[in-house]
Amino acid sequence: MAKNTLTVTDNRTGKTYEIPIEEGGVVRAAAFRDIKNGADDFGLMTYDPALFNTAVCRSRVTFIDGDRGILRYRGYPIEQLAEESNFLETAYLIVKGELPDQKHFRTWQHNIKIHTMVHENIKRFMEGFRHDAHPMGMLLGTVGAMSTFYPDAKNIFDLESRRLQTRRLIGKMPTVAAFAYRHSRGLPYVYPDNDLSYTGNFLSMLFKMTELQYKPNPVLEHALDVLFILHADHEQNCSANAMRSVGSSSPDPYAATAAAIAALYGPLHGGANEAAINMLMEVGSKDRIPALIKEVKAGEKKLNGFGHRVYKNYDPRAKILKKLAYDVFEVTGRNPLIDIAIELERIALEDEYFIKRKLYPNVDFYSGIIYQAMGFPMTMFPVLFAIPRTAGWLAQWAEMVRDPEQKITRPRQVYIGESERQWMPIEKRAEPTMREDAVSEAI
Ligand code: COA
């Protein structure tokens, strides 16, 4: 009868081991420690740079099937949420695991709204940034500083405290993000308007000028809401991993969220849509697309906004955004980059190079075009990503805090440096103690 085990023979010793295969086709890396070459041997380790094939947790938050282009939050398909839900409801779903009923949703909305204000000292703190500070750097620094404003947040094993910090972070993130934007424009900060929706209020804090009450355009308010839904979580990516890894040493969630923002700051994660826009602007017109494709196929360039570590099919979020872009253009006017993007996609998807490698447009291919049409500078793109992703980070963090299997994250390494050497006084070091190549590598 078939058994859920893996039989491994160590050809160094001739010994055979039987390793259980757990639910989901998982083997525990620790099981390999029993495979030893002798009594003093440490046992085998698995080596997995960039955690390419290593599950670091069991999670109930987000499901992705990259081969089939499926993304679900708590079991609900992203297409349904983007079509029917709103960001605050989706945030509730992600954080709490279930969709709210009307009463719970009203309470949740209220609980988020009463946390949109920030302490005046946070405002003053932000005023201290240089006039041209990158808004993502400001967000990162300010969320880290918020740790000092809420010392109660360190009670991470207390459910009520976790709930309070979750509401505070989801509530305040748009405020800090908008202050960062206004700062970089030299404009006065705008306080939250809790009569508006989550995204309506965000637009008000970004773009309000002298009017008494800002009236968000409903199409743009809705588009931003859809963008927020699409970016709310994406399981164990670089920033979620940073949240969990830093959170595993039990700091308060502001410190862990600052780490997640730092991870998202990088061009390979939150900055990819900026790279996609730059590429489309560089191409400039449809007739120059074949030349770009040629360069890409020659390995000289990558097609920014194409390909994904997990999706080997059309990224379902890109499909939704491609459609959404046209709704936004009805209000903002057409961003001409869309025509180049669509033609580029058409040519690429018919090309053997892209077909063979399963390279499809990802979420970043279209999101930047929409943000740009809405008037956001590129420096704001990762900030717009961080606001909704806060819900996902907090859900991942809370799951980690409650998981009895989790401990402080502490990977192993394969040491490839020098074996033991003896220290020598500097005047006696006739020969360099480090190899020249090692010295230059170390710098
Ligand atoms: N343009 C052209 N070729 C690409 C490509 C792209 N955007 N992405 C991957 N490839 C090619 C690689 O060169 C490689 O070809 P090879 O087999 O001939 O060497 C093959 O496809 C597999 O790529 P690989 O780098 O192994 O995939 P990955 O899973 O490690 O990388 C990304 C995933 C996202 C990092 C990668 O697709 C990429 O850099 N994309 C552009 C940046 C981007 O849009 N990032 C945002 C992701 S949401």
Side-chain angles (χ1 to χ4, degrees):
M1 205 181 90
K3 278 164 70 182
N4 275 338
T5 59
L6 178 74
T7 301
V8 179
T9 302
D10 183 347
N11 293 321
R12 299 171 303 175
T13 60
K15 279 194 194 163
T16 294
Y17 301 81
E18 196 169 334
I19 297 173
I21 299 177
E22 298 181 9
E23 197 192 330
V26 168
V27 290
R28 287 192 179 251
F32 289 85
R33 286 284 289 279
D34 294 338
I35 304 178
K36 296 183 183 207
N37 195 12
D40 295 337
D41 188 19
F42 178 81
L44 288 185
M45 273 194 291
T46 53
Y47 176 59
D48 192 7
L51 300 176
F52 203 81
N53 192 38
T54 296
V56 294
C57 62
R58 291 180 187 277
S59 180
R60 295 175 190 278
V61 183
T62 293
F63 172 80
I64 300 177
D65 181 335
D67 290 330
R68 292 194 290 154
I70 292 174
L71 168 61
R72 296 182 201 133
Y73 299 153
R74 304 280 187 185
Y76 292 96
I78 193 68
E79 294 81 1
Q80 281 181 30
L81 294 170
E83 189 71 29
E84 310 286 351
S85 185
N86 56 66
F87 172 68
L88 273 192
E89 182 185 76
T90 298
Y92 183 102
L93 171 70
I94 287 177
V95 168
K96 294 185 179 279
E98 293 296 337
L99 284 168
D101 60 19
Q102 286 184 347
K103 181 171 150 260
H104 282 91
F105 186 53
R106 270 198 303 274
T107 310
W108 172 251
Q109 274 180 305
H110 171 79
N111 285 342
I112 300 293
K113 281 188 177 174
I114 57 168
H115 287 295
T116 51
M117 297 286 282
V118 293
H119 193 290
E120 278 296 288
N121 284 356
I122 290 182
K123 203 185 94 189
R124 286 191 205 112
F125 173 86
M126 292 187 76
E127 280 164 357
F129 282 107
R130 248 181 79 125
H131 68 281
D132 56 354
H134 194 295
M136 190 64 165
M138 292 176 73
L139 185 74
L140 161 58
T142 306
V143 171
M146 276 160 69
S147 159
T148 64
F149 286 78
Y150 306 109
D152 57 316
K154 68 177 184 304
N155 301 323
I156 62 163
F157 297 108
D158 177 66
L159 174 62
E160 277 315 311
S161 172
R162 285 203 303 271
R163 285 184 172 158
L164 177 60
Q165 312 321 322
T166 298
R167 300 195 286 251
R168 277 180 177 152
L169 267 161
I170 295 176
K172 291 182 199 316
M173 200 59 85
T175 313
V176 175
F179 282 11
Y181 169 77
R182 302 281 293 199
H183 184 90
S184 64
R185 294 266 141 156
L187 292 165
Y189 303 168
V190 175
Y191 287 107
D193 179 347
N194 289 343
D195 290 337
L196 297 174
S197 71
Y198 190 77
T199 47
N201 169 49
F202 180 48
L203 288 167
S204 165
M205 292 188 291
L206 289 164
F207 300 128
K208 185 171 183 289
M209 287 308 195
T210 53
E211 63 271 44
L212 278 183
Q213 198 191 26
Y214 179 84
K215 290 205 174 19
N217 180 294
V219 175
L220 301 186
E221 186 181 0
H222 173 70
L224 202 53
D225 209 63
V226 173
L227 279 152
F228 278 8
I229 292 171
L230 300 185
H231 286 88
D233 194 55
H234 213 231
E235 52 116 308
Q236 307 313 312
N237 50 69
C238 181
S239 58
N241 188 248
M243 183 85 189
R244 281 180 175 263
S245 184
V246 171
S248 76
S249 74
S250 299
D252 66 62
Y254 301 94
T257 303
I261 296 172
L264 189 63
Y265 203 167
L268 297 185
H269 192 1
N273 50 7
E274 179 175 345
I277 287 281
N278 281 330
M279 178 191 73
L280 293 173
M281 290 199 303
E282 220 174 280
V283 173
S285 65
K286 285 199 233 173
D287 57 318
R288 289 170 63 185
I289 295 173
L292 171 68
I293 298 277
K294 203 168 153 206
E295 283 177 309
V296 170
K297 286 164 71 172
E300 290 162 19
K301 274 188 180 165
K302 277 204 170 174
L303 213 50
N304 293 320
F306 258 71
H308 197 276
R309 175 62 61 78
V310 180
Y311 293 115
K312 302 300 170 195
N313 199 323
Y314 212 105
D315 181 335
R317 300 166 301 171
K319 239 181 230 167
I320 298 166
L321 288 185
K322 193 173 164 186
K323 206 166 141 271
L324 187 73
Y326 290 96
D327 299 341
V328 170
F329 298 159
E330 290 287 322
V331 178
T332 61
R334 198 179 175 85
N335 183 343
L337 295 184
I338 190 80
D339 299 319
I340 300 173
I342 285 178
E343 181 63 0
L344 184 53
E345 177 188 322
R346 189 190 66 75
I347 294 177
L349 295 189
E350 284 174 1
D351 193 295
E352 187 55 28
Y353 176 94
F354 297 90
I355 296 169
K356 207 173 111 207
R357 291 169 178 77
K358 299 184 175 167
L359 299 170
Y360 293 85
N362 60 50
V363 69
D364 297 308
F365 195 60
Y366 289 108
S367 63
I369 297 177
I370 300 179
Y371 291 142
Q372 201 183 44
M374 289 175 76
F376 288 109
M378 284 195 242
T379 50
M380 276 298 282
F381 291 3
V383 175
L384 295 166
F385 191 154
I387 297 169
R389 185 55 60 87
T390 301
W393 290 331
L394 288 164
Q396 300 283 346
W397 167 76
E399 195 171 60
M400 186 266 307
V401 168
R402 292 186 329 248
D403 183 347
E405 272 203 311
Q406 293 293 340
K407 293 183 191 313
I408 185 167
T409 301
R410 196 349 180 149
R412 296 259 170 202
Q413 64 168 7
V414 179
Y415 178 70
I416 56 166
E418 306 290 343
S419 56
E420 185 177 339
R421 298 192 276 185
Q422 301 304 315
W423 185 87
M424 209 188 290
I426 195 162
E427 62 278 7
K428 293 196 177 154
R429 288 177 217 153
E431 295 292 316
T433 50
M434 277 174 99
R435 298 183 326 271
E436 276 306 312
D437 61 341
V439 174
S440 54
E441 275 168 28
I443 300 164

